[in-house]
Amino acid sequence: MYCGAVHPAEALSVDHVHPRVKGGDGSSGNLVTACMACNSRKGARTLARFLADEPVARAHFEALAVHVWPRHRKALRELVAAELRRRGHV
């Protein structure tokens, strides 16, 4: 999802767009796959902070996350925009 590369299934992990600890569920509209390298790069950052920090990952997410619930994509875009504004990037 974040690097845009194609990987074998065993090299992928599942990432929750809206974290389970914050009320997210395991439905297909809240899940994306990420390669181990991207997942490690994301680390403990929220998805919004990771996407704000990583413009390439943000572009791939916007292009590839078409199955993610629209409400999650909208909320994430707003959080990323707020983070970029906070940093003075927008």
Side-chain angles (χ1 to χ4, degrees):
M1 179 57 61
Y2 307 122
C3 64
V6 175
H7 298 279
E10 60 273 4
L12 298 173
S13 62
V14 175
D15 196 19
H16 290 79
V17 175
H18 184 73
R20 287 183 294 173
V21 297
K22 295 190 177 191
D25 62 18
S27 67
S28 62
N30 190 44
L31 301 175
V32 296
T33 55
C35 71
M36 300 299 182
C38 286
N39 203 21
S40 292
R41 221 173 55 249
K42 179 180 174 245
R45 292 179 284 181
T46 64
L47 184 53
R49 179 157 292 176
F50 173 66
L51 295 177
D53 291 343
E54 305 266 349
V56 171
R58 184 170 62 246
H60 283 126
F61 184 87
E62 285 292 327
L64 300 172
V66 296
H67 71 283
V68 172
W69 297 120
R71 68 180 185 271
H72 291 330
R73 289 195 321 266
K74 180 181 180 217
L76 194 56
R77 276 194 302 274
E78 291 169 358
L79 289 169
V80 170
E83 179 66 23
L84 291 171
R85 277 193 306 275
R86 185 186 70 74
R87 297 176 186 185
H89 292 259
V90 176

